[in-house]
Amino acid sequence: MSWGTELWDQFDSLDKHTQWGIDFLERYAKFVKERIEIEQNYAKQLRNLVKKYCPKRSSKDEEPRFTSCIAFFNILNELNDYAGQREVVAEEMAHRVYGELMRYAHDLKTERKMHLQEGRKAQQYLDMCWKQMDNSKKKFERECREAEKAQQSYERLDNDTNATKADVEKAKQQLNLRTHMADENKNEYAAQLQNFNGEQHKHFYVVIPQIYKQLQEMDERRTIKLSECYRGFADSERKVIPIISKCLEGMILAAKSVDERRDSQMVVDSFKSGFEPPGDFPFEDYSQHIYRTISDGTISASKQESGKMDAKTTVGKAKGKLWLFGKKPKPQSPPLTPTSLFTSSTPNGSQFLTFSIEPVHYCMNEIKTGKPRIPSFRSLKRGWSVKMGPALEDFSHLPPEQRRKKLQQRIDELNRELQKESDQKEALNKMKDVYEKNPQMGDPGSLQPKLAETMNNIDRLRMEIHKNEAWLSEVEGKTGGRGDRRHSSDINHLVTQGRESPEGSYTDDANQEVRGPPQQHSHHNEFDDEFEDDDPLPAIGHCKAIYPFDGHNEGTLAMKEGEVLYIIEEDKGDGWTRARRQNGEEGYVPTSYIDVTLEKNSKGAVTYI
């Protein structure tokens, strides 16, 4: 089946059909473009949604810790990856489908225009041949009529007796001329007719079939291209299905990772204060003086009971004045003089101890000078509130357990910073050695400011670590001894290890104490001395020199064969070991030049990189 043979006379129809095919191609390209815009907008909206619900982490304290939160943020990450895959679909469609369709449509228009122009030229040439043939035909017809007229005129003159011989001869010559011209036009008409028939056969059996064949091939290629674009349109979606499936599997795994037990434990770890639960309140018998007035037996019993009362019981009564929920009962008697305890006597002469201090004033004095009190729930809440004041450097505004965790986190961060600075120092020293051996590579003196800055940072970080470790040991000591101090019966111990301010908030600031043990001040002085002293690193082993080493470079230590040195820092993989002589001189020696023996039970040995 060929358009050239079947549709030889449908040039205009083929023109319209090919134009429709190109219009349909462009329409599908427009459809793909709108689908690309939908995918891009969908991906953009998904990313905006993820950005909206992702946490704005301004500090490490706001990082999610609960498994449910972490799972949600993992789902957001997977959704963000899913949005990325939608963008991949849009890019693939834009490059493989839409872009290819637009380029092919442009080429198709150019090719169609060329083929139609060739068809029109062939038709115009055939029309020109037909006109030439028609003109020669009309001319031949006209000459034939003129010849017939000439013959009739000649015959009429020849039969006319009145006509002269000259007129007859003239009519005969005219007849011969017209006959000759008619013969020539006949021959020309025959030639033009033969030529037209040949061109017409060539037009309808060679030229037009060839042009229509090219148009047919062009239209078939357009159909094939549409099929390929349909397939590419689907492949763009199918390629990302495995990754999208992984994103969905990640969401399912995130949902499975939620652990309610772990979240509950995190709540405990986050809000645990380290305080002990309130102990039992002692019974306070206010009816003793009433029973003493009824009978002597009661009075004698009151004497015995009053004799058994001691300062410990009195202090127990004083403890009862700090109420658990922050509310104090109204005093039953008018306030008296601000004395802590006094002796009262009954009419029969018996004496007994009575609690006669004004309640609020007594509580204020007890907070300042008494033993540690059980904090109320209100005070615990206030101790947690950050709004009470700016955070202190030693985290003393926090409860013991939370303070210990904060200090431990800070120590870990400082250790990581110290490790980085030490690595940088080691790298600078190696670079300096390289510059000293090869001066053309750089000036060793240019590294000195950076080395000095790194050493200052190392010293500063060590002091910060030492200071925070001192605070941490103080907190751990208080936490460990709080349970023993709570049940102590020593009424003369008036120092508050766990202090409660009059407003009900917890504090560990030693400046707020009225009295304190001198041992605590001496303990802090010892830490201050440690900050000021720069003790040498402890020896962690010894070594014996196998080969001599000159140690010309800065930072190295010269040694002789057989010399014994102390090891103060192990080889960290760079081939150098830090050693010290007995006179205190330190430096680095090649590890391959010495025989190292490390002490297994060396305590306090710290290796600084």
Side-chain angles (χ1 to χ4, degrees), residues 109-126:
K109 289 179 180 180
T110 304
E111 184 180 359
R112 173 182 173 274
K113 183 178 180 181
M114 181 184 66
H115 294 324
L116 293 179
Q117 286 178 353
E118 291 178 355
R120 290 189 179 95
K121 287 181 180 179
Q123 188 65 38
Q124 290 175 0
Y125 179 72
L126 183 63

Side-chain angles (χ1 to χ4, degrees), residues 35-45 86-87 90:
R35 169 65 189 277
I36 291 171
E37 293 176 354
I38 291 174
E39 291 290 347
Q40 291 175 346
N41 293 332
Y42 180 48
K44 183 178 179 181
Q45 291 176 1
R86 305 316 308 178
E87 291 177 348

Side-chain angles (χ1 to χ4, degrees), residues 28-44 86-99 101 233 236:
Y28 178 69
K30 185 178 180 181
F31 162 76
V32 175
K33 181 180 179 182
E34 293 182 359
R35 169 65 189 277
I36 291 171
E37 293 176 354
I38 291 174
E39 291 290 347
Q40 291 175 346
N41 293 332
Y42 180 48
K44 183 178 179 181
R86 305 316 308 178
E87 291 177 348
V88 171
V89 171
E91 293 176 359
E92 185 71 14
M93 288 183 179
H95 174 71
R96 184 177 177 182
V97 182
Y98 179 73
L101 282 173
F233 185 84
S236 300

Side-chain angles (χ1 to χ4, degrees), residues 9 35 61 132 144 253 306 326 329 353 362 376 382 407 415 453 461 470 480 519-520 551 554 574 607:
D9 58 344
R35 169 65 189 277
D61 295 337
Q132 291 178 356
C144 287
L253 292 177
S306 63
L353 295 175
Y362 173 74
S376 65
R382 288 189 179 183
L407 289 173
N415 283 327
E453 181 183 356
L461 290 173
Q519 291 81 2
Q520 189 171 1
E554 183 179 357
D574 55 356
T607 302

Side-chain angles (χ1 to χ4, degrees), residues 55-292:
K56 298 178 180 179
R57 301 176 184 177
S58 58
S59 63
K60 293 184 178 179
D61 295 337
E62 298 179 4
E63 292 183 358
R65 296 174 299 163
F66 297 103
T67 58
S68 57
C69 297
I70 295 174
F72 176 64
F73 296 140
N74 290 335
I75 290 174
L76 290 178
N77 292 331
E78 296 294 343
L79 187 61
N80 190 56
D81 295 340
Y82 177 81
Q85 295 306 310
R86 305 316 308 178
E87 291 177 348
V88 171
V89 171
E91 293 176 359
E92 185 71 14
M93 288 183 179
H95 174 71
R96 184 177 177 182
V97 182
Y98 179 73
E100 186 67 22
L101 282 173
M102 296 306 295
R103 286 191 298 269
Y104 188 74
H106 180 269
D107 298 339
L108 205 62
K109 289 179 180 180
T110 304
E111 184 180 359
R112 173 182 173 274
K113 183 178 180 181
M114 181 184 66
H115 294 324
L116 293 179
Q117 286 178 353
E118 291 178 355
R120 290 189 179 95
K121 287 181 180 179
Q123 188 65 38
Q124 290 175 0
Y125 179 72
L126 183 63
D127 293 341
M128 183 187 66
C129 293
W130 181 84
K131 287 181 180 180
Q132 291 178 356
M133 184 271 298
D134 187 60
N135 290 335
S136 62
K137 177 183 177 182
K138 290 179 180 180
K139 189 176 181 181
F140 170 64
E141 183 181 2
R142 185 172 60 252
E143 291 297 332
C144 287
R145 285 197 298 267
E146 292 293 332
E148 289 179 358
K149 289 180 181 181
Q151 184 177 3
Q152 291 176 1
S153 177
Y154 170 73
E155 290 178 354
R156 186 178 68 251
L157 291 175
D158 187 39
N159 294 328
D160 188 4
T161 57
N162 295 325
T164 63
K165 187 177 180 179
D167 293 335
V168 174
E169 287 295 332
K170 184 178 180 181
K172 185 178 181 181
Q173 291 178 0
Q174 186 69 24
L175 175 60
N176 293 333
L177 178 63
R178 291 297 179 182
T179 303
H180 179 70
M181 292 181 65
D183 292 339
E184 289 181 356
N185 286 318
K186 180 180 179 181
N187 295 331
E188 183 180 358
Y189 169 65
Q192 291 294 335
L193 181 60
Q194 185 179 4
N195 180 56
F196 173 75
N197 290 332
E199 292 296 334
Q200 181 176 258
H201 185 276
K202 180 181 178 181
H203 176 80
F204 288 108
Y205 290 95
V206 179
V207 178
I208 289 298
Q210 183 67 25
I211 294 174
Y212 286 6
K213 181 181 180 182
Q214 292 174 353
L215 288 174
Q216 181 180 1
E217 291 176 354
M218 181 195 72
D219 192 70
E220 290 176 353
R221 289 198 307 270
R222 176 190 63 82
T223 307
I224 294 173
K225 177 60 68 175
L226 280 174
S227 176
E228 292 176 354
C229 291
Y230 295 159
R231 189 180 299 109
F233 185 84
D235 288 341
S236 300
E237 185 84 20
R238 186 173 59 182
K239 284 182 179 179
V240 300
I241 288 179
I243 303 178
I244 291 177
S245 299
K246 290 183 180 179
C247 294
L248 298 177
E249 290 176 1
M251 295 180 185
I252 295 175
L253 292 177
K256 293 181 179 179
S257 65
V258 177
D259 188 355
E260 65 280 3
R261 295 291 183 181
R262 185 178 176 184
D263 287 355
S264 299
Q265 184 61 37
M266 285 184 181
V267 173
V268 174
D269 296 338
S270 299
F271 301 110
K272 183 179 179 181
S273 64
F275 293 118
E276 294 290 337
D280 296 336
F281 282 86
F283 177 75
E284 300 180 13
D285 191 0
Y286 296 100
S287 61
Q288 294 179 358
H289 65 282
I290 298 175
Y291 293 108
R292 290 190 187 97

